[in-house]
Amino acid sequence: MAELLTETSLISSFHGDTQNHLHNPRVSVVPKSYSFGYGSKRFPSLKVKSQALRSSTLSSDFHGKKLVFRVNRASSPNRANSQLRPSIVSQLTSRIGKVQKWWEKGIQPNMREVTSAEDLVDSLLKAGDKLVIVDFFSPGCGGCKALHPKICQLAEMNPDIQFLQVNYEDHRSMCYSLNVHVLPFFRFYRGAEGRLCQFSCTNATIKKFRDALAKHTPERCSLGPTKGLEEKELLALAANKELNFTYTPKAKPKPVQPAHEEDLVAEEAAPYSEPLTLPSFTSNSDVSKDRALATSGR
């Protein structure tokens, strides 16, 4: 009977403490452990544990309100990755797009890449008396890549010279029609003289390029129209079906004959005329004979 009274007193005191805890939630009234003895055995009270759990719910700030849990989807790893992926892809593509190719690095204002056969022909004709250097290269050519920085330096040192770049991979058919089969390959053009020279050189033989540049750099005045590509090269480009290029051959001028040959031709072409009758020539003896005959007749 004493043990039952003790248990009821503990439970009543526990309810009193929980009511105090509602007014002062900072004070913890839940005991760490309660145990009751019955005879020689002692065991924890399940009722006290349930009361302790119930008191912990009563001590919360919600006071029976409905709990609403919100999940921040942006904080989830999958959501974050899905939002970051477009930005990362756009940044990568922008960075890749800004990366220059080796033949685009160091380009000077007087350097330009040819876009077609017609562009090459028009550029040479519009250059006038200016020296034009055509640079044939390939992206996969190691010699072209090694020589490119020096060509850019020479272009910077000679702003009056026009450099035209022809990508062999993009214009393979045009290069074939122009008989370009070795890379890197260079051609020099100027005014009415047309093609001045052509050669192939590498980084080790750059002296060949420098010598040709020094020889043809001085300004010259052409006495005729700009020539550009040769006639047979223009015909080869026009005959190439893979190129959208048309060319009308120029009419060949008539050969000019020397003056004495023209006279001979005129004489041969003149109509036939009868020979002129010339007056007969008489000697003094014939005249004396005529006089004698005339007097004897009288």
Side-chain angles (χ1 to χ4, degrees), residues 2-128:
E3 291 179 356
L4 293 175
L5 292 173
T6 305
E7 183 178 356
T8 55
S9 62
L10 287 172
I11 292 172
S12 62
S13 63
F14 177 73
H15 280 289
D17 293 338
T18 55
Q19 293 295 330
N20 294 331
H21 177 65
L22 292 176
H23 298 286
N24 189 8
R26 294 182 180 181
V27 180
S28 178
V29 296
V30 180
K32 294 183 179 180
S33 63
Y34 290 92
S35 61
F36 301 95
Y38 181 76
S40 60
K41 296 181 179 180
R42 300 182 67 84
F43 54 90
S45 174
L46 296 177
K47 186 182 289 187
V48 175
K49 286 186 178 181
S50 62
Q51 292 293 337
L53 292 174
R54 189 179 299 173
S55 65
S56 63
T57 58
L58 292 174
S59 63
S60 62
D61 296 333
F62 294 101
H63 302 289
K65 296 180 181 179
K66 185 178 180 180
L67 299 179
V68 179
F69 296 93
R70 296 180 180 179
V71 179
N72 190 1
R73 296 182 178 180
S75 61
S76 61
N78 294 333
R79 183 71 176 177
N81 292 336
S82 62
Q83 292 181 354
L84 291 176
R85 281 172 188 171
S87 61
I88 293 173
V89 171
S90 61
Q91 291 178 3
L92 290 176
T93 52
S94 61
R95 290 180 181 179
I96 293 172
K98 294 180 181 179
V99 175
Q100 289 183 337
K101 301 173 184 178
W102 66 260
W103 59 91
E104 297 176 349
K105 296 179 180 179
I107 295 296
Q108 302 300 320
N110 56 338
M111 300 178 69
R112 187 176 64 84
E113 187 172 350
V114 174
T115 58
S116 62
E118 186 176 0
D119 183 21
L120 175 61
V121 174
D122 293 342
S123 299
L124 292 175
L125 293 177
K126 294 178 182 178

